[in-house]
Amino acid sequence: MSEELEKERSRVTAADEKIVPLLLERMEAVAEIGWIKQREGLGVKDVGRERKVLDRVGELAGEENAEYVQEIYREIMNQACRFQERQKGEGK
């Protein structure tokens, strides 16, 4: 493996070490939001909120990368909904 490839892979690893804790922090907030939605009798999915998130992250990513970042966030939000659905059966 080339030194250049190894260097770039190290950058990815370093980014992952920052991303995972942030994803865990996001999931903690998602859990709390799920409990609040349950108490307030709201559904898990909020299409309007999802659209706002996708628009915001698209702007943050810039025109060149918006499509890719938005697709990643679609999956993040799908998993958040899945998590909240599972949470419904657990009660708090």
Side-chain angles (χ1 to χ4, degrees):
M1 188 174 338
S2 73
E3 197 173 303
E4 182 181 25
L5 179 58
E6 191 62 37
K7 177 182 173 187
E8 294 308 314
R9 285 183 173 171
S10 292
R11 287 182 60 199
V12 169
T13 298
D16 289 341
E17 289 173 358
K18 295 174 185 172
I19 292 168
V20 171
L22 292 173
L23 286 172
L24 294 174
E25 180 180 335
R26 191 179 198 285
M27 290 306 292
E28 286 178 19
V30 163
E32 290 305 314
I33 290 167
W35 297 126
I36 294 166
K37 286 178 177 178
Q38 280 186 44
R39 282 196 315 266
E40 295 182 4
L42 300 172
V44 167
K45 199 138 182 85
D46 183 341
V47 176
R49 170 66 180 158
E50 289 182 11
R51 183 74 255 156
K52 287 178 184 176
V53 170
L54 291 174
D55 289 346
R56 184 177 49 80
V57 299
E59 288 176 21
L60 290 171
E63 190 175 330
E64 186 176 314
N65 295 304
E67 176 185 352
Y68 305 108
V69 171
Q70 287 171 325
E71 189 59 34
I72 291 166
Y73 266 81
R74 277 187 192 89
E75 186 58 30
I76 289 170
M77 290 186 294
N78 285 336
Q79 292 304 316
C81 287
R82 188 170 155 241
F83 178 77
Q84 287 179 349
E85 285 291 345
R86 188 183 79 203
Q87 186 179 21
K88 279 175 142 179
E90 295 174 6
K92 184 174 181 179

